[in-house]
Amino acid sequence: MDLLNTLVDKGLRREMPSREEALAVLATSDDELLDVVAAAGKVRREWFGRRVKLNYLVNLKSGLCPEDCSYCSQRLGSKAEILKYTWLKPDEASKAAAAGVAGGAKRVCLVASGRGPTDKDVDRVAQTIDAIKEQNEGVEVCACLGLLSDGQAERLRDAGADAYNHNLNTSEATYGDITTTHTYADRVDTVQKAHAAGLSACSGLIAGMGESDEDLVDVVFGLRELDPDSVPVNFLIPFEGTPLAKEWNLTPQRCLRILAMVRFVCPDVEVRIAGGREVHLRSMQPLALHIANSIFLGDYLTSEGQAGQADLDMIADAGFEVEGTDQVTLPEHRTADGCGSVCGSKESACGSAPETADVPEARTDLVAVRRRGAGTDLAPNA
């Protein structure tokens, strides 16, 4: 396909594709899917070889969030029967993190529910970062605590944080449809605060919330403008008890197209397959590794992932290798200026589904609420 040849050439030159080209990727047919994956794979291998970075989530504070994000099982008014607990102590969080590091994780992501941290919360997280780094040499720590106030990003950096995550999630035009308690601009501001403080910015999206192709392209182009080092691509997990519980819009093929579009728009950035990987990609997860160069190991914030050993086996069987702590994630040109040096986010082009498209089956059997690891007495999955 001329389209794919053009996108590969642009990706190898780190040149921005046009919106029309990005939309065209999402509109490719199932017959073209392997060609799309192969093309995105050429760009992925140019900048990241066959390495896969493993990241491990530690949910420091679960549930009871005052924000009303429709996709979230921890939201205000959520009826999802998830684990709910207040802040883990630093030693508890460090113990959970150690399990992920032992399983091969290079980065530990510390996440807490809530609108944003108080200064006391930042102090608490600083102690946790210190405890984790003291026990795990070479590990990266990313904080994800919500909207940041002035000065907090700098304090996290000084405490030893390497990165900060805050996702844009969806396009600015439709942001008000999924959340009313904060704005798209609030999220952009927090990513910019992390950048300005010298933290490696991590920001991504959630696909499968009923958005159009245009919305997906809008948010990915918005991310490209913010220039994060990491772009996690989440696929909505439709938790029972949340407003989006019936939004089963994704197929494995659709997920692969979305990942490919992100790779073409952000060719030299760490593209991470995040939440919903097992639920929506299912048996096609290994193909996604040819596009993305990063995954989460083990469980997620409130849902269970596949066994950590299964992740490692999948990577090896697909011909990839786990990235070590002695390897720099990002290409040299992205780390030379100091940015991210430690770490080194079937439908027609107009967004309407073709008449022959099948409605994806609701696979509620694949959504398992997390009952182990942080906040429990059970061993974590890593």
Side-chain angles (χ1 to χ4, degrees):
M1 291 176 65
D2 290 341
L3 168 68
L4 296 179
N5 290 333
T6 297
L7 288 170
V8 170
D9 288 343
K10 287 186 173 183
L12 299 184
R13 298 195 303 265
R14 311 199 314 269
E15 182 180 331
M16 186 83 160
S18 68
R19 285 182 53 83
E20 291 72 24
E21 289 167 339
L23 286 166
V25 172
L26 298 178
T28 52
S29 69
D30 285 352
D31 288 342
E32 298 164 321
L33 183 61
L34 289 180
D35 293 332
V36 172
V37 173
K42 290 179 182 178
V43 179
R44 180 245 202 267
R45 289 192 299 276
E46 171 68 17
W47 303 116
F48 300 97
R50 303 192 71 83
R51 305 188 311 278
V52 177
K53 182 175 182 176
L54 297 182
N55 308 268
Y56 191 72
L57 286 163
V58 177
N59 196 352
L60 297 177
K61 180 166 72 79
S62 182
L64 307 175
C65 182
E67 303 297 289
D68 68 354
C69 307
S70 300
Y71 53 82
C72 185
S73 59
Q74 304 184 76
R75 74 186 296 271
L76 178 69
S78 171
K79 300 297 191 296
E81 297 180 355
I82 62 169
L83 289 170
K84 298 182 179 68
Y85 52 85
T86 189
W87 289 93
L88 296 182
K89 296 177 180 177
D91 63 320
E92 294 172 326
S94 181
K95 182 179 179 181
V101 174
K106 178 178 179 177
R107 171 176 286 189
V108 172
C109 304
L110 303 176
V111 187
S113 63
R115 178 178 177 84
T118 64
D119 288 340
K120 181 178 179 181
D121 293 336
V122 172
D123 290 338
R124 191 193 320 262
V125 174
Q127 295 175 33
T128 299
I129 294 171
D130 184 62
I132 290 172
K133 293 213 162 189
E134 183 178 355
Q135 296 182 25
N136 302 280
E137 183 178 357
V139 71
E140 298 172 9
V141 175
C142 178
C144 177
L145 311 174
L147 301 172
L148 292 176
S149 301
D150 290 344
Q152 290 184 328
E154 288 79 6
R155 292 178 60 197
L156 288 167
R157 177 203 63 207
D158 293 344
D162 303 296
Y164 195 84
N165 166 261
H166 200 61
N167 296 329
L168 297 187
N169 291 329
T170 194
S171 69
E172 184 173 14
T174 58
Y175 198 84
D177 296 337
I178 63 165
T179 305
T180 66
T181 47
H182 60 267
T183 66
Y184 181 92
D186 291 332
R187 287 186 170 268
V188 169
D189 178 68
T190 286
V191 177
Q192 291 174 334
K193 280 184 168 70
H195 251 317
L199 292 169
S200 175
C202 173
S203 187
L205 65 143
I206 304 173
M209 298 189 289
E211 69 283 336
S212 68
D213 284 6
E214 285 83 356
D215 290 323
L216 286 171
V217 171
D218 282 349
V219 68
V220 176
F221 272 56
L223 288 165
R224 166 83 183 227
E225 185 175 347
L226 285 174
D227 194 31
D229 291 323
S230 308
V231 176
V233 180
N234 295 276
F235 301 111
L236 177 71
I237 301 176
F239 270 97
E240 291 296 329
T242 65
L244 299 185
K246 305 304 180 185
E247 294 287 343
W248 289 88
N249 303 311
L250 297 170
T251 64
Q253 295 86 352
R254 171 74 167 165
C255 294
L256 289 171
R257 291 187 188 95
I258 292 168
L259 286 169
M261 185 269 287
V262 174
R263 172 57 73 199
F264 289 131
V265 176
C266 305
D268 59 344
V269 166
E270 176 192 339
V271 175
R272 184 182 311 161
I273 317 171
R277 163 167 63 93
E278 298 87 343
V279 175
H280 295 294
L281 279 163
R282 302 193 283 275
S283 62
M284 296 181 78
Q285 290 180 67
L287 269 183
L289 294 177
H290 289 271
I291 306 172
N293 63 297
S294 179
I295 65 171
F296 280 113
L297 175 73
D299 294 336
Y300 302 95
L301 296 177
T302 62
S303 65
E304 293 186 352
Q306 68 186 19
Q309 188 59 51
D311 286 335
L312 298 176
D313 291 343
M314 175 182 70
I315 291 168
D317 290 347
F320 294 91
E321 61 182 29
V322 174
E323 184 174 289
T325 56
D326 60 335
Q327 294 176 295
V328 177
T329 300
L330 297 175
E332 185 177 357
H333 63 266
R334 287 193 65 91
T335 61
D337 61 358
C339 179
S341 58
V342 179
C343 330
S345 297
K346 104 198 168 177
E347 293 193 352
S348 66
C350 63
S352 58
E355 293 181 2
T356 57
D358 294 327
V359 177
E361 178 187 359
R363 292 299 305 274
T364 56
D365 57 304
L366 296 177
V367 180
V369 173
R370 181 173 68 83
R371 303 293 185 198
R372 59 195 175 194
T376 76
D377 295 327
L378 300 179
N381 173 27

